């Protein structure tokens, strides 16, 4: 509040009037002594108590029993309890009965509790601070690379991209002047459907991949296809030849098989502004660091970094491990975990000024896809993310090997003996931490669907539909069932009415034994069985409905989902780890 505004109720900063109640943990309105609250109900609009501009003056000079304005002969003046303070004049009371929630209060309502991931969470906090912050967040239309909207009832994947962009204010002096920005830091954040856990999978920038063809939206609204390239670094999936974040999302899908729903992107300046906004982030190093290239200088043990020093910390690679990008990734994961803890701490959540500063910094630093680019969707994303406990947010990295084609090791390739299990766990919503599973009763009921007798393969009567599998999958499955597995009573009926993400088997209660046998043959888990109704086949007989979803891998290839994640090198967001 400026000096000129002191003592004037209409110039008081709303944030100064909200005080944390330690008994309830909620913010409460505390008005200044110059504006006491009255125990007398406010007179109804249009009553004599609101008469004339001089009423307020008379009310202040009148005895206790006199009303603010002289009532008419048939209208009694308002009464108050003995000992209650006199009612404030109408002119000063206006707007006090239902005070609007302050900017800081709005932020606290949405950001209280655990933050699942800093960039996502603070973007929504920014929305809830001030309406004008909507314009701070830039958006990019990635077309079919992502989803058009956000669902609160599903698991979701957000690709967090940190670019090495050197253009713009605050990004000068870092490496190649004028760089358009490549995918320097990449984290695929998977949030489970039940919100009990999340996995942050780092993708090395020096991973050798095939970048697919990428349709990109041009400023004039037209679409241009950027040709794909083979055997190149992952970081070239952004910026190179005009590629947008949608190209990076498509590359992630090509490498991992995991569909990316949305992206969030920030540049070098974001690290500086975000860490300064929260008053610094605690980090730990196992030994003293004095890096001449990044200009990072820290003593051994714990330190607090912000601004330029924080950026130097996440960019340094010559001071840790084997001085490569993989060791820097671990340092960045530790840094993000610490930043998340700082954001969810009482020091941040109970400080309106700090939250406001954080919201300003975050929204100016972010670029997101149009699917989550509106304020209401960002709010929904943040509310879902904060449900995940930090102890169940796992940081890990795509399993890789040194590139065997290189004599001087500079790049890496996917470790095909370990990575597929990691990708499958994420695709099938399996946690990398031990979590208390919700809805245990429902899970037990699902598992029970596979318990019971099985019919003979020859007795299975099934109609096959393609519900999102590659073209020709229904016919392929029909041939396989009839010629290899001995299921002659099967028919292929073309495409399903709507695509499905998972392959399903729908059946009536009296066909449960056939459904269990079909699940065994196709390698389906209990969750694929959907008790319901059968349909009539071409002979008018009841038939099971088999719909091949997007997860279909081929006739005879098991679709049983993993129930336990593989052992990986990992860390969790709730623990402090010293970089070494």
């Amino acid at each position: 509040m400026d000096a000129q505004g002191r003592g004037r109720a209409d110039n008081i900063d709303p944030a100064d009037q909200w005080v944390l109640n330690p008994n309830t943990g909620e913010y409460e309105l505390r008005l200044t002594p110059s504006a006491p609250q009255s125990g007398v109900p406010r007179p109804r609009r249009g009553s004599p108590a609101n008469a004339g501009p001089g009423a307020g003056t008379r009310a202040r000079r009148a005895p206790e029993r006199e009303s603010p304005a002289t009532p008419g002969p048939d209208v009694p003046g308002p009464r108050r309890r003995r000992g209650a303070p006199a009612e404030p004049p109408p002119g000063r009371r206006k707007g006090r009965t239902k005070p609007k929630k302050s900017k800081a209060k709005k932020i606290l309502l949405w950001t209280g509790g655990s933050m699942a991931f800093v960039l996502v969470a603070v973007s929504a906090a920014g929305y809830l601070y001030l309406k004008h912050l909507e314009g701070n967040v830039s958006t990019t239309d990635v077309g079919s690379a992502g989803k058009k909207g956000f669902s609160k009832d599903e698991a979701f994947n957000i690709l967090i991209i940190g670019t090495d962009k050197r253009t713009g204010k605050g990004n000068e002096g870092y490496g190649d002047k004028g760089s358009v920005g490549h995918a320097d830091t990449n984290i695929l954040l998977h949030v489970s459907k039940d919100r009990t856990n999340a996995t942050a999978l780092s993708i090395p920038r020096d991973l050798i991949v095939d970048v697919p063809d990428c349709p990109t939206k041009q400023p004039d609204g037209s679409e241009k296809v950027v040709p794909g390239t083979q055997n190149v670094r992952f970081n070239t999936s952004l910026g190179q030849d005009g590629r947008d974040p949608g190209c990076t999302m498509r590359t992630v899908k090509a490498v991992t098989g995991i569909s990316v729903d949305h992206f969030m992107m920030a540049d070098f300046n974001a690290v500086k502004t975000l860490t300064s906004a929260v008053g610094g982030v605690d980090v730990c190093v196992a030994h003293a660091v004095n890096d001449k290239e990044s200009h990072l200088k820290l003593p051994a043990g714990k330190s607090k970094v912000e601004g330029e020093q924080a950026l130097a910390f996440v960019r340094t690679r010559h001071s840790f491990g084997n001085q490569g990008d993989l060791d820097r990734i671990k340092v960045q994961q530790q840094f993000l975990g610490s930043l998340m803890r700082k954001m969810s701490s009482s020091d941040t959540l109970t400080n309106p000024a700090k939250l406001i500063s954080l919201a300003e910094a975050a929204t100016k630093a972010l670029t997101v896809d149009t699917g989550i680019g509106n304020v209401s969707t960002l709010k929904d994303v943040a509310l879902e993310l904060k449900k995940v406990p930090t102890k169940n947010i796992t940081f890990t990295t795509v399993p890789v090997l040194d590139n065997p084609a290189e004599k001087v090791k500079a790049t890496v390739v996917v470790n095909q003996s370990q990575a597929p299990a990691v990708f499958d766990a994420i695709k099938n919503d399996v946690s990398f931490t031990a979590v208390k599973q919700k809805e245990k009763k429902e899970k037990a009921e699902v598992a029970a669907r596979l318990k019971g007798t099985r019919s003979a393969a020859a007795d299975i009567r099934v109609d096959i539909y393609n519900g999102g599998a590659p073209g020709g999958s229904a016919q392929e499955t029909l041939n396989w069932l009839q010629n290899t597995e001995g299921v002659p009573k099967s028919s292929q009926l073309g495409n399903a009415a709507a695509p499905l993400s998972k392959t399903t088997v729908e059946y009536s209660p009296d066909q449960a034994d056939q459904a269990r046998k079909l699940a065994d043959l196709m390698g389906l888990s209990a969750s694929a069985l959907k008790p319901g109704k059968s349909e009539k086949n071409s002979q008018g007989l009841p038939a099971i409905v088999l719909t091949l979803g997007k997860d279909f891998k081929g006739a005879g290839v098991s679709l049983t989902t993993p129930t336990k994640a593989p052992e990986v090198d990992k860390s969790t967001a709730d623990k402090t780890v010293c970089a070494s």
Side-chain angles (χ1 to χ4, degrees):
M1 178 165 49
D2 58 70
Q4 294 179 351
R6 295 185 186 277
R8 292 180 55 190
D10 55 350
N11 282 339
I12 294 177
D13 189 338
D16 295 336
Q17 294 179 283
W18 289 97
V19 180
L20 181 67
N21 186 333
N23 296 322
T24 65
E26 297 288 336
Y27 271 75
E28 299 178 356
L29 183 65
R30 296 286 190 272
L31 298 180
T32 59
S34 62
Q37 295 291 293
S38 172
V40 183
R42 184 176 181 177
R44 294 182 178 178
R45 185 175 299 175
S47 70
N50 290 324
T57 303
R58 290 195 300 273
R60 286 194 295 271
R61 296 178 180 176
E64 279 190 5
R65 293 182 179 274
E66 187 177 32
S67 65
T70 305
D74 298 323
V75 182
R79 300 180 62 186
R80 62 182 178 86
R81 295 189 302 274
R82 181 174 298 173
E87 181 177 358
R92 294 175 60 89
R93 185 181 177 93
K94 184 177 180 180
R96 294 293 183 113
T97 54
K98 291 185 177 180
K100 294 182 178 179
K101 295 174 182 175
S102 70
K103 303 166 188 175
K105 176 66 173 177
K106 290 181 179 180
I107 296 175
L108 290 166
L109 288 173
W110 295 118
T111 59
S114 300
M115 295 296 177
F117 198 84
V118 56
L119 294 177
V120 183
V122 297
S123 68
Y127 149 65
L128 293 167
Y129 163 46
L130 273 181
K131 197 73 173 176
H132 82 265
L133 291 182
E134 293 179 355
N136 288 352
V137 181
S138 301
T139 60
T140 297
D141 186 353
V142 296
S144 61
K147 288 188 175 181
K148 298 300 182 184
F150 175 75
S151 173
K152 294 184 286 186
D153 301 320
E154 297 177 351
F156 60 92
N157 301 312
I158 297 180
L159 180 63
I160 311 299
I161 305 173
T163 77
D164 58 354
K165 182 179 179 182
R166 269 84 173 181
T167 58
K169 185 178 180 181
N171 288 323
E172 306 89 350
Y174 297 104
D176 300 330
K177 184 177 180 181
S179 170
V180 295
H182 295 97
D184 192 59
T185 300
N186 309 277
I187 298 177
L188 179 61
L189 177 67
H190 169 80
V191 181
S192 69
K193 182 177 180 179
D194 62 7
R195 309 301 187 244
T196 61
N197 66 93
T199 302
L201 179 70
S202 291
I203 303 172
R205 67 175 189 176
D206 295 326
L207 179 67
I208 296 299
V209 299
D210 291 340
V211 178
D213 292 347
C214 178
T216 59
K217 297 287 185 178
Q218 302 301 301
D220 62 0
S222 64
E223 185 175 273
K224 174 185 176 182
V225 177
V226 180
T229 51
Q230 288 71 48
N231 203 37
V232 294
R233 280 180 166 87
F234 180 89
N235 68 339
T236 62
S237 64
L238 176 68
Q240 195 85 0
D241 301 322
R243 293 184 177 119
D244 64 12
C247 301
T248 309
M249 296 166 70
R250 295 175 192 273
T251 304
V252 170
K253 174 66 179 296
V255 173
T256 67
I258 301 170
S259 296
V260 183
D261 302 317
H262 306 286
F263 84 89
M264 286 193 164
M265 182 171 66
D267 59 20
F268 283 155
N269 208 38
V271 177
K272 296 187 291 184
T273 56
L274 289 174
T275 53
S276 296
V278 297
V281 174
D282 296 325
V283 298
C284 180
V285 293
H287 54 79
V289 174
N290 188 1
D291 191 316
K292 295 181 180 179
E293 293 195 21
S294 68
H295 308 294
L296 177 67
K297 189 174 182 179
L298 291 176
K302 295 182 179 180
S303 299
K304 181 176 289 187
V305 297
E306 66 174 278
E308 293 285 353
Q309 196 176 33
L311 179 58
F313 183 81
V314 298
R315 294 189 68 236
T316 296
R317 61 176 174 176
H318 297 290
S319 299
F320 304 116
N322 295 322
Q323 302 185 12
D325 190 51
L326 295 179
D327 291 297
R328 179 167 62 175
I329 285 175
K330 293 181 180 179
V331 173
Q332 292 171 345
Q333 291 173 345
Q334 295 161 14
F335 175 84
L336 288 173
S338 180
L339 182 54
M340 291 161 58
R341 293 193 298 274
K342 182 63 178 287
M343 287 194 58
S344 60
S345 69
S346 59
D347 177 57
T348 300
L349 295 177
T350 60
N351 188 326
K354 189 174 291 186
L355 286 170
I356 290 171
S357 177
L358 183 60
E360 289 277 5
T363 53
K364 289 178 180 178
L366 288 175
T367 299
V368 303
D369 62 281
T370 52
I372 55 173
N374 63 72
V375 290
S376 62
T377 305
L378 284 175
K379 177 202 68 175
D380 290 340
V381 172
L383 290 177
E384 294 305 305
L385 285 169
K386 76 171 189 174
K387 296 177 182 178
V388 184
T390 54
K391 68 178 181 179
N392 289 332
I393 301 175
T394 300
F395 287 102
T396 190
T397 305
V398 172
V400 295
L401 298 170
D402 287 333
N403 188 350
E406 296 175 334
K407 291 183 178 180
V408 178
K409 305 304 180 184
T411 61
V412 293
V413 296
V414 172
N415 185 336
Q416 295 297 342
S417 67
Q418 296 179 8
V422 175
F423 302 154
D424 284 345
I426 294 175
K427 282 189 290 186
N428 291 287
D429 209 19
V430 178
S431 176
F432 283 79
T433 58
V435 297
K436 293 182 178 179
Q437 298 293 332
K438 293 182 178 180
E439 302 173 349
K440 289 184 177 180
K441 181 179 179 181
E442 180 179 343
K443 290 180 180 295
E445 291 175 351
V446 171
R449 294 172 189 169
L450 281 176
K451 297 180 180 179
T453 60
R454 266 77 168 162
S455 70
D459 294 333
I460 298 175
R461 191 178 291 110
V462 57
D463 286 344
I464 308 167
Y465 292 88
N466 189 327
S473 294
Q475 185 62 47
E476 176 191 357
T477 302
L478 175 68
N479 295 338
W480 175 73
L481 286 174
Q482 290 182 342
N483 302 325
T484 305
E485 300 300 327
V487 184
K489 302 174 183 177
S490 48
S491 304
Q492 189 271 106
L493 299 180
N495 294 328
L500 298 177
S501 59
K502 302 286 186 181
T503 296
T504 62
V505 175
E506 187 172 2
Y507 57 96
S508 60
D510 60 346
Q511 295 172 310
D513 58 341
Q514 296 181 42
R516 286 190 284 266
K517 180 61 178 179
L518 183 61
D520 291 345
L521 295 175
M522 297 199 60
L524 297 174
S525 63
S527 61
L529 301 183
K530 307 295 181 183
K533 297 180 180 179
S534 60
E535 68 177 21
K536 300 292 184 180
N537 67 5
S538 57
Q539 288 79 39
L541 300 172
I544 293 173
V545 177
L546 169 63
T547 305
L548 306 177
K550 296 178 181 179
D551 63 335
F552 182 75
K553 301 175 182 178
V557 180
S558 175
L559 291 178
T560 302
T561 57
T563 58
K564 184 178 180 181
E567 292 295 326
V568 294
D569 185 12
K570 65 184 180 182
S571 61
T572 52
D574 64 319
K575 295 180 180 178
T576 300
V577 180
C578 292
S580 61

